[in-house]
C-alpha cells in the first residue's frame, strides 16, 4: 500500500475529527443530572457530604434534591454503599472489589442501617426531593458510607476480530454523596496494625496487610519503605507511601509494585516508617517468594499478553551440553589409547634401519 493510498484513507477521519460532533454532545446531555444534598440542622462543616452527630438507636431522616438537566425522562436507581479502605483512600462499594479488603466488624456496615427508595423517575428538566433514613447503630465511634444515584446510559459492544469475540460493557453515570455519623467521641490515638506481607502473582506486587482496628477514620497516613533481599546486597526496592486514609474497622492489603529487575525466588525483608496522624510507626517483616509464585506470575502475564518476566534459574542447558561434550572427548581418548599399534613388516633386502 502506497503512502498516497494511506493518506486518502485517513483524510476523511482527520476531517471528521477536526469538527465538533453535535451528535455525541447531544447524546451525553441525554443523561445529565445533578444531586444537591439537603443538609440537616445538625450538619458539621460545609463539606459536600452529610456529617452530623447521632445518638445510638435514633433514626435520622436525610434528603437530597435530584435534578434532571436533560430533555429526556431519566430513571435513577438509588442504593447505599459501605466504606472500605484502599491505597488510594476510602472506597464506597456494596461489596469490596479489591482483594484482601474488608470490614472487620459487621456493625460498621453502612448498608445495614440505611433505608432508601430503590429508584426515582424524573421527567425532562424535572427535579424531585428524595428522602432516606439512617438508623444510628449502638456503636462507639463513627459509621461511614454513601448514597449512590445512578443512571444507566447503555451497553457498549466491543468486538475483537482476531479472536471473533464480543465484550458487552454497561455504562452508567453515578453521583455519590458521603454520609458520616459520629455516634460517640473516641479519645484513643489511632495507630495501624501491619501483618506479615506476601507476594501477589496476579498484581505482581508485595502486599502488606494494614488494619484499622479503631472505630473512627484514620487520616493522614504516609511513609516510606525499603525491601532488601537476603544474600544479595545490591538488591534494594525503595519508595514512598503516598498520603491516604482508612475507613473505620477495615483492613486492606497495601500493594508495593515489583519494579526491581527480574522476579526471582528468595527471602526478602521489608522495613517501613509510617506517619499516622503525626505519630511515627516502624514496621519490619521478612517474607519469602517461592518458585511456584514466580511461575504463576509468568502465567498471569502470558494470559494478559504482557512481557514475560523470566526468573533467574540455574543454567541447566549449557551445563548439560558441556557434560555431553566432555563425555564424547573422554570416549574418543579411550578409544584412541585402546587401538592396537600397527607393526611395520620387513621384506628381504630391506634396510633394517
Amino acid at each position: 500500500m502506497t503512502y498516497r493510498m494511506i493518506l486518502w484513507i485517513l483524510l476523511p477521519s482527520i476531517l471528521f475529527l477536526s469538527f465538533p460532533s453535535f451528535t455525541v454532545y447531544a447524546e451525553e446531555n441525554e443523561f445529565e443530572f445533578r444531586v444537591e444534598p439537603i443538609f440537616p440542622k445538625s450538619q458539621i462543616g460545609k463539606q459536600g457530604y452529610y456529617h452530623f452527630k447521632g445518638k445510638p438507636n435514633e433514626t435520622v431522616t436525610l434528603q437530597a434534591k435530584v435534578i434532571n438537566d436533560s430533555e429526556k425522562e431519566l430513571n435513577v436507581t438509588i442504593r447505599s454503599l459501605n466504606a472500605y479502605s484502599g491505597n488510594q483512600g476510602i472506597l464506597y462499594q456494596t461489596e469490596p472489589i479489591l482483594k484482601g479488603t474488608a470490614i472487620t466488624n459487621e456493625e460498621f456496615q453502612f448498608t445495614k442501617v440505611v433505608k432508601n427508595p430503590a429508584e426515582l423517575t424524573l421527567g425532562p428538566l424535572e427535579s424531585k426531593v428524595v428522602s432516606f433514613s439512617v438508623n444510628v447503630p449502638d456503636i462507639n465511634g463513627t459509621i461511614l458510607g454513601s448514597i449512590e444515584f445512578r443512571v444507566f446510559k447503555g451497553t457498549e459492544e466491543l468486538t475483537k476480530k482476531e479472536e471473533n469475540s464480543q465484550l458487552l460493557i454497561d455504562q452508567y453515570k453515578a453521583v455519590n454523596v458521603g454520609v458520616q455519623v459520629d455516634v460517640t467521641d473516641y479519645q484513643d490515638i489511632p495507630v495501624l496494625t501491619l501483618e506479615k506481607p506476601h507476594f501477589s502473582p496476579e498484581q505482581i506486587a508485595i502486599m502488606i496487610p494494614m488494619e484499622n482496628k479503631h472505630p473512627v477514620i484514620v487520616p493522614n497516613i504516609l511513609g516510606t519503605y525499603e525491601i532488601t533481599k537476603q544474600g544479595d546486597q545490591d538488591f534494594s526496592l525503595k519508595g514512598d507511601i503516598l498520603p491516604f486514609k482508612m475507613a473505620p474497622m477495615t483492613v486492606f492489603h497495601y500493594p508495593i509494585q515489583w519494579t526491581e529487575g527480574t522476579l526471582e525466588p528468595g527471602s526478602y525483608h521489608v522495613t517501613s516508617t509510617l506517619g499516622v496522624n503525626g505519630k511515627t510507626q516502624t514496621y519490619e517483616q521478612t517474607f519469602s517468594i517461592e518458585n511456584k509464585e514466580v511461575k504463576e506470575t509468568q502465567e498471569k502475564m502470558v494470559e494478559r499478553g504482557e512481557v514475560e518476566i523470566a526468573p533467574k534459574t540455574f543454567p541447566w542447558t549449557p551445563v548439560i551440553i558441556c557434560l555431553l561434550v566432555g563425555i564424547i572427548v573422554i570416549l574418543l581418548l579411550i578409544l584412541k589409547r585402546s587401538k592396537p599399534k600397527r607393526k611395520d613388516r620387513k621384506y628381504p633386502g630391506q634396510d633394517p634401519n
Side-chain angles (χ1 to χ4, degrees):
M1 183 180 291
T2 64
Y3 290 107
R4 182 173 296 180
M5 292 178 65
I6 295 174
L7 180 61
W8 278 111
I9 293 173
L10 294 178
L11 185 58
S13 299
I14 295 172
L15 292 175
F16 174 78
L17 294 174
S18 300
F19 294 94
S21 175
F22 296 100
T23 303
V24 174
Y25 178 76
E27 184 176 326
E28 289 179 353
N29 277 348
E30 290 181 357
F31 302 95
E32 287 299 318
F33 74 100
R34 291 175 287 137
V35 178
E36 296 179 355
I38 301 175
F39 297 119
K41 293 181 179 180
S42 58
Q43 173 73 14
I44 300 173
K46 297 181 179 180
Q47 303 92 338
Y49 60 92
Y50 302 97
H51 184 193
F52 58 93
K53 288 188 176 182
K55 297 179 181 179
N57 301 317
E58 80 167 329
T59 299
V60 179
T61 299
L62 301 176
Q63 293 182 318
K65 186 177 182 180
V66 186
I67 305 166
N68 181 5
D69 288 328
S70 72
E71 296 183 355
K72 180 180 179 180
E73 182 179 273
L74 296 182
N75 185 39
V76 183
T77 58
I78 306 171
R79 61 175 182 169
S80 59
L81 306 175
N82 290 320
Y84 297 94
S85 295
N87 60 309
Q88 301 298 324
I90 297 176
L91 311 173
Y92 297 99
Q93 300 163 349
T94 52
E95 297 291 340
I97 296 177
L98 296 178
K99 188 176 181 180
T101 300
I103 297 176
T104 57
N105 188 325
E106 290 187 359
E107 293 182 345
F108 287 82
Q109 292 186 11
F110 181 73
T111 56
K112 292 189 174 183
V113 301
V114 179
K115 292 183 179 180
N116 56 269
E119 59 182 8
L120 175 69
T121 301
L122 295 174
L125 303 176
E126 184 183 14
S127 63
K128 290 182 180 179
V129 174
V130 61
S131 299
F132 55 96
S133 61
V134 178
N135 298 317
V136 180
D138 188 3
I139 61 171
N140 177 29
T142 294
I143 188 78
L144 183 67
S146 75
I147 299 294
E148 181 191 73
F149 301 83
R150 176 187 290 202
V151 172
F152 177 70
K153 296 179 66 176
T155 301
E156 182 181 1
E157 181 178 321
L158 299 178
T159 303
K160 293 184 177 181
K161 295 182 179 179
E162 61 275 6
E163 298 179 4
N164 195 24
S165 61
Q166 291 182 338
L167 179 64
L168 301 179
I169 301 177
D170 290 338
Q171 293 183 317
Y172 297 90
K173 177 176 180 179
V175 177
N176 280 283
V177 183
V179 182
Q180 178 179 336
V181 186
D182 298 328
V183 184
T184 56
D185 293 330
Y186 189 77
Q187 302 299 330
D188 291 354
I189 299 176
V191 294
L192 298 184
T193 302
L194 284 76
E195 302 295 338
K196 186 174 181 178
H198 63 275
F199 182 78
S200 169
E202 187 171 356
Q203 298 191 39
I204 316 180
I206 298 163
M207 314 297 288
I208 301 179
M210 294 186 176
E211 182 177 359
N212 175 19
K213 293 185 177 181
H214 301 269
V216 292
I217 301 170
V218 178
N220 306 322
I221 304 170
L222 73 165
T224 60
Y225 63 84
E226 181 179 10
I227 300 174
T228 55
K229 183 183 179 185
Q230 184 176 351
D232 187 352
Q233 296 182 352
D234 296 329
F235 182 93
S236 178
L237 179 59
K238 298 181 179 180
D240 295 323
I241 296 175
L242 300 179
F244 70 99
K245 56 185 177 180
M246 290 188 66
M249 306 296 285
T250 53
V251 62
F252 84 106
H253 294 179
Y254 188 94
I256 298 177
Q257 298 299 323
W258 185 274
T259 57
E260 190 61 32
T262 302
L263 174 63
E264 54 184 308
S267 180
Y268 296 84
H269 187 77
V270 179
T271 303
S272 177
T273 301
L274 288 176
V276 183
N277 243 351
K279 185 176 180 179
T280 301
Q281 284 186 240
T282 56
Y283 169 78
E284 291 192 22
Q285 282 282 0
T286 299
F287 70 100
S288 298
I289 297 179
E290 306 293 339
N291 279 313
K292 62 179 181 179
E293 293 171 320
V294 176
K295 182 179 179 181
E296 186 179 349
T297 301
Q298 296 172 349
E299 293 172 351
K300 295 291 184 183
M301 295 186 74
V302 170
E303 291 175 3
R304 294 193 294 260
E306 299 174 359
V307 178
E308 181 179 343
I309 298 180
K312 290 182 179 179
T313 57
F314 189 78
W316 288 107
T317 302
V319 170
I320 292 173
I321 293 174
C322 291
L323 287 174
L324 291 175
V325 172
I327 292 171
I328 293 172
V329 171
I330 292 172
L331 290 174
L332 290 174
L333 291 174
I334 293 173
L335 289 173
K336 185 176 180 180
R337 288 184 177 182
S338 61
K339 187 175 181 181
K341 294 183 179 180
R342 188 183 67 180
K343 296 183 178 180
D344 294 334
R345 296 178 63 183
K346 303 298 181 180
Y347 296 96
Q350 183 179 3
D351 188 350
N353 297 324

